[in-house]
Amino acid sequence: MSLKIVVASNNRGKLAEFSQLLGERFKLLSQGELQVEEVEENGLSFVENALLKARNAALQTGLPALADDSGLCVDALGGAPGIYSARYAGAGASDADNNSKLIHDLKGIGERRAHFHCALVFVRHPEDPAPIICEGRWPGEIVDQARGDNGFGYDPHFYIPELKQCAAELPAEQKNRLSHRGRAVAQLVQRLQSEFPRR
């Protein structure tokens, strides 16, 4: 029997990635399906925000909860957009708006190193004193010209030098294996498998 976990996100792309990565062992439900009211993300780090979201979803559903907070950190911008990646160009900003602001802010700057960061938090219940926390990091560079039609967010501008491709040019399976989220989920799968062994 698969363990039900509520995913503290309404992002369909993210839910699809998690479902692919976690396989059939766990039944993932989005918090939207369960009418979970979103919590204010007022932490100052990816881990703090993921923990807020996971505890909130667990509290409102009575289920174990998984939350991630992830984003793009650009060295030349002091780590921005960072935890504000989804709303870099303002509340309700589209991916195109955020990408446009990013390229604008990097105008004239030669140093383009960046990384995607993912903090994944799993709580067994809302007051879980020992949440499972896994983090992944994916290094790359920012390019002005968008490339590729896969992925979402900043993927079309996130260039991986060793592959000579942007994240949005990679097939989903390859991206899921290499990405910040893929790296964090790989750790999480190991932790969950030892915690919830097959019977």
Side-chain angles (χ1 to χ4, degrees):
M1 193 172 124
S2 55
L3 173 75
K4 282 186 182 175
I5 297 175
V6 57
V7 178
S9 173
N10 296 315
N11 183 317
R12 282 184 191 166
K14 210 175 268 191
L15 193 68
E17 273 187 34
F18 280 137
S19 296
Q20 265 186 317
L21 292 161
L22 286 168
E24 295 167 14
R25 178 72 182 85
F26 304 98
K27 179 167 174 55
L28 304 184
L29 305 164
S30 80
Q31 66 177 14
E33 289 175 70
L34 302 172
Q35 281 82 51
V36 171
E37 286 184 35
E38 291 188 22
V39 69
E40 185 187 353
E41 295 177 42
N42 54 13
L44 295 177
S45 68
F46 293 115
V47 169
E48 287 173 282
N49 281 336
L51 196 50
L52 283 168
K53 291 189 278 191
R55 290 199 192 283
N56 175 65
L59 180 66
Q60 292 188 47
T61 63
L63 292 171
L66 172 63
D68 95 309
D69 200 47
S70 50
L72 178 70
C73 300
V74 181
D75 291 11
L77 300 178
I83 59 170
Y84 306 106
S85 291
R87 51 192 188 278
Y88 190 42
S94 67
D95 287 349
D97 295 335
N98 288 329
N99 279 311
S100 178
K101 176 169 169 52
L102 176 67
I103 299 312
H104 176 268
D105 290 352
L106 283 170
K107 199 171 181 182
I109 297 175
E111 168 52 62
R112 293 299 184 92
R113 271 181 312 184
H115 70 272
F116 274 122
H117 192 95
C118 173
L120 267 184
V121 171
F122 176 82
V123 294
R124 300 155 193 88
H125 56 84
E127 286 90 35
D128 191 343
I132 294 174
I133 298 173
C134 303
E135 293 184 86
R137 186 181 170 112
W138 192 18
E141 299 169 3
I142 302 303
V143 292
D144 288 340
Q145 197 61 48
R147 291 169 51 172
D149 300 312
N150 301 329
F152 58 95
Y154 298 95
D155 288 353
H157 291 276
F158 187 75
Y159 180 76
I160 304 102
E162 60 269 27
L163 299 178
K164 296 184 170 55
Q165 287 181 298
C166 282
E169 295 178 282
L170 304 178
E173 198 175 299
Q174 185 182 20
K175 182 197 164 190
N176 287 345
R177 193 174 64 249
L178 298 174
S179 77
H180 52 308
R181 195 170 293 114
R183 294 173 194 205
V185 172
Q187 299 167 42
L188 181 73
V189 168
Q190 287 189 314
R191 295 284 299 274
L192 290 179
Q193 282 172 345
S194 61
E195 178 132 350
F196 303 101
R198 287 184 183 277
R199 300 205 185 289

